[in-house]
């Protein structure tokens, strides 16, 4: 029996495809810049089927690349070895919300938006929010330890995960579900798989922490001409009780949303700071006090009701839609010390001008954590020219004391730069863990390590 026959017997013939047109759409990353090779797509419907698929592929010597919503920005779901693509899309069930314990169990293929809707229907909130919420899956978000728009308040995915199910490379299933909040028995296996980018096992389901809905919310956008002044204000707000979101947007980004989508910035200035406060009491006066001392370019725009708040979020929410207007952008997802963000912004513009003079550098992201997204729009470099630009930018990030990867992971795009953020001993330890779980290295082989 061939491997494809075995896979069909495990999941059903209708859930295995070798159609070239289907595979062509599955082997390319979200930007359209990177493309790989796969021999088949398999879509298991349970954790036991996932485990059986892994066992069959391992025994056949076939590589497996795991795919969720395929929103990776570091080519983390792009296969390189004529792989079997294992999609978690059918693992999308969401159990009833436990309102007493404020938790819910969701399949790895459930989207962020679906979990948000389930939480909201129960009068609760899921702590992670992403612009790609309609397609990003909680399994993929756990695998990359995603952060997003609310990290400054609730933390990243690791802080939301109370337990999980994971199919290991040897075909066994670990079900790590605990009903207690304080569980300090043995190794913290849950944390081991969160952020491992699918290299140690396939997350098939997660138990997610939910939070009360704050009754009061206020949103503001403030304009700055000086980035250091914005960062100083961001520091104060980050440490203020009630902070719910703290986002940086540069004027080049808002110019693109205005030109192509008709979504205009609410304030002027080279840099914009979007702030949201939420709590048991009205936070408007507290926000006003902080902004009163800031070096603004003009009056901030403030929204105290849901409609006004949504309008102020429009530019930030629309950025992703315009980044690919001139073709696939070149993306950098980085973490930086706040004290070096302004230096990085200036130097990154210079690096871009040197290597890709036609490109437009667009900087935005989660300024509360220093997790920023630099996108080079209209960046028409490829091959060695692209690699030279990418390496120069990675070197700059390291010089600024930053981390080459933040909420999107290392994937395959950043694996050559791993040692810029991890010592040789760190990498050796990670390889030892990988070898213990996956001795033949067949699971997500393009990710993290060369």
């Amino acid at each position: 029996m061939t491997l494809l026959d075995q896979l069909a017997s495990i999941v059903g013939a209708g859930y295995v495809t070798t159609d070239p047109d289907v595979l062509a759409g599955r082997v390319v990353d979200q930007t359209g810049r990177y493309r790989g090779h796969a021999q088949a797509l398999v879509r298991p419907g349970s954790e036991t089927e996932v485990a059986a698929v892994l066992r069959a592929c391992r025994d056949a010597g076939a590589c497996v690349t795991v795919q969720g919503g395929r929103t990776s920005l570091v080519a983390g779901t792009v296969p390189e070895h004529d792989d079997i693509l294992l999609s978690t899309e059918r693992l999308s069930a969401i159990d009833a919300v436990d309102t007493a314990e404020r938790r819910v169990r969701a399949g790895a293929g459930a989207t962020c938006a679906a979990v948000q809707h389930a939480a909201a229907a129960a009068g609760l909130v899921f702590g992670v929010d992403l612009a790609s919420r309609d397609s990003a899956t909680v399994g993929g978000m756990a695998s990359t330890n995603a952060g997003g728009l609310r990290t400054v308040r609730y933390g990243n995915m690791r802080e939301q995960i109370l337990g999980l199910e994971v199919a290991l490379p040897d075909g066994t299933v670990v079900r790590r579900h605990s009903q207690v909040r304080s569980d300090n028995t043995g190794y913290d296996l849950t944390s081991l798989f969160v952020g491992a980018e699918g290299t140690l096992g396939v997350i098939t389901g997660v138990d997610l922490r939910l939070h009360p809905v704050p009754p009061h919310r206020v949103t503001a956008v403030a304009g700055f001409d000086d980035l250091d002044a914005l960062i100083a204000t961001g520091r104060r707000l980050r440490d203020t009780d009630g902070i719910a979101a703290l986002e940086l947007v540069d004027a080049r980004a808002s110019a693109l949303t205005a030109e192509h989508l008709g979504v205009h910035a609410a304030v002027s200035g080279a840099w914009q700071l979007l702030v949201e406060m939420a709590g048991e009491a009205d936070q408007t006066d507290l926000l006003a006090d902080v902004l009163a001392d800031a070096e603004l370019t003009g009056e901030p725009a403030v929204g105290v009701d849901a409609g006004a708040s949504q309008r102020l979020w429009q530019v930030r929410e629309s950025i992703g839609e315009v980044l690919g207007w001139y073709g696939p952008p070149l993306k950098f997802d980085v973490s930086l010390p706040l004290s070096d963000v302004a230096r990085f912004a200036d130097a990154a513009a210079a690096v871009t001008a040197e290597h890709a003079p036609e490109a437009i550098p667009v900087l935005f992201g989660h300024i509360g954590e220093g997790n920023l997204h630099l996108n080079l729009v209209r960046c028409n470099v490829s091959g060695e020219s692209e690699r030279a630009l990418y390496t120069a930018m990675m070197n700059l990030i390291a010089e600024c004391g930053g981390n080459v990867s933040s909420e999107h992971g290392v994937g395959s795009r950043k694996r050559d730069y791993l040692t810029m953020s991890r010592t040789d001993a760190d990498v050796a330890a990670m390889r030892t863990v990988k070898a213990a779980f996956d001795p033949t290295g067949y699971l997500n082989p393009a990710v993290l390590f060369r």
Side-chain angles (χ1 to χ4, degrees):
M1 183 183 293
T2 68
L3 174 59
L4 295 182
D5 289 336
Q6 291 181 60
L7 297 179
S9 70
I10 293 168
V11 304
Y15 298 111
V16 178
T17 181
T18 58
D19 186 317
D21 292 334
V22 173
L23 295 180
R26 293 279 187 153
V27 299
V28 64
D29 79 314
Q30 188 186 46
T31 70
R33 187 174 281 273
Y34 310 111
R35 184 173 293 276
H37 309 278
Q39 59 175 303
L41 167 69
V42 58
R43 298 181 293 136
S46 69
E47 71 273 10
T48 55
E49 288 186 1
V50 172
V53 166
L54 292 181
R55 193 180 307 114
C57 291
R58 181 203 60 180
D59 292 347
C63 294
V64 173
T65 289
V66 186
Q67 296 188 335
R70 298 187 297 118
T71 58
S72 170
L73 301 179
V74 289
T77 62
V78 177
E80 292 187 353
H81 304 88
D82 202 27
D83 299 17
I84 299 295
L85 302 178
L86 191 161
S87 171
T88 62
E89 64 193 78
R90 292 177 62 209
L91 309 176
S92 59
I94 300 175
D95 290 357
V97 173
D98 183 340
T99 55
E101 293 296 328
R102 296 202 297 265
R103 60 192 293 163
V104 65
R105 185 171 296 182
T111 65
C112 178
V115 173
Q116 289 174 335
H117 292 152
L124 297 167
V125 64
F126 177 46
V128 176
D129 189 23
L130 313 168
S132 59
R133 62 183 71 86
D134 291 322
S135 51
T137 61
V138 291
M141 292 161 61
S143 292
T144 58
N145 193 26
L149 303 168
R150 307 291 177 185
T151 308
V152 71
R153 183 181 184 91
Y154 298 112
N156 51 24
M157 276 295 287
R158 181 170 281 114
E159 280 69 54
Q160 318 309 317
I161 295 179
L162 301 170
L164 52 73
E165 296 170 355
V166 58
L168 300 183
D170 67 358
T172 59
V173 177
V174 171
R175 295 177 175 89
R176 184 68 187 87
H177 299 295
S178 177
Q179 298 306 309
V180 297
R181 292 294 181 110
S182 180
D183 188 347
N184 195 29
T185 308
Y187 295 133
D188 187 355
L189 292 180
T190 297
S191 290
L192 180 62
F193 292 106
V194 176
E197 301 186 48
T199 59
L200 304 180
V202 180
I203 295 174
T204 60
V206 287
D207 295 338
L208 297 170
R209 187 191 308 274
L210 303 178
H211 306 270
V213 177
H216 297 278
R217 194 177 297 273
V218 58
T219 306
V221 176
F224 296 78
D225 281 328
D226 182 77
L227 184 52
D228 279 323
L230 181 150
I231 291 168
T233 303
R235 285 182 187 275
R236 290 187 60 191
L237 289 164
R238 179 191 61 183
D239 299 328
T240 301
D241 289 340
I243 189 67
L246 199 57
E247 294 291 302
L248 168 73
V249 177
D250 77 19
R252 287 169 293 212
S254 55
L256 289 173
T257 65
E259 178 183 356
H260 298 296
L261 301 177
V263 177
H264 297 267
V267 296
S268 60
W271 304 94
Q272 294 137 34
L273 180 66
L274 186 151
V275 186
E276 190 163 282
M277 307 283 289
E280 292 296 320
D282 188 353
Q283 308 284 312
T284 304
D285 290 342
L286 179 59
L287 177 58
D289 288 344
V290 175
L291 293 181
D293 297 331
E295 299 176 22
L296 308 182
T297 56
E299 290 296 315
V302 181
V304 294
D305 60 55
S309 174
Q310 187 175 23
R311 286 191 292 274
L312 293 180
W313 272 96
Q314 277 187 313
V315 168
R316 177 64 182 86
E317 293 275 9
S318 300
I319 292 174
E321 190 174 344
V322 298
L323 290 176
W325 200 269
Y326 299 102
L330 190 59
K331 291 177 172 287
F332 300 89
D333 165 55
V334 303
S335 287
L336 293 162
L338 293 184
S339 57
D340 286 281
V341 169
R343 176 163 75 99
F344 172 77
D346 290 340
V351 168
T352 303
E354 177 184 353
H355 291 270
E358 301 300 316
I360 304 170
V362 174
L363 187 65
F364 63 97
H366 321 306
I367 194 63
E369 300 78 57
N371 172 201
L372 300 179
H373 308 304
L374 173 66
N375 284 257
L376 305 188
V377 179
R378 202 172 62 195
C379 187
N380 299 317
V381 297
S382 60
E384 288 303 315
S385 296
E386 178 181 334
R387 182 170 180 80
L389 169 55
Y390 208 95
T391 300
M393 202 67 76
M394 291 292 105
N395 286 328
L396 172 60
I397 293 163
E399 289 168 11
C400 290
N403 193 322
V404 298
S405 173
S406 188
E407 63 177 342
H408 293 296
V410 173
S412 62
R413 195 68 192 90
K414 296 183 177 181
R415 62 194 177 195
D416 290 343
Y417 309 101
L418 184 61
T419 54
M420 289 184 175
S421 297
R422 293 290 182 266
T423 66
D424 290 343
D426 288 337
V427 176
M430 287 191 285
R431 287 185 179 277
T432 299
V433 174
K434 168 68 171 174
F437 279 92
D438 181 16
T440 63
Y442 82 96
L443 183 59
N444 273 19
V447 172
L448 199 57
F449 305 113
R450 171 64 73 175

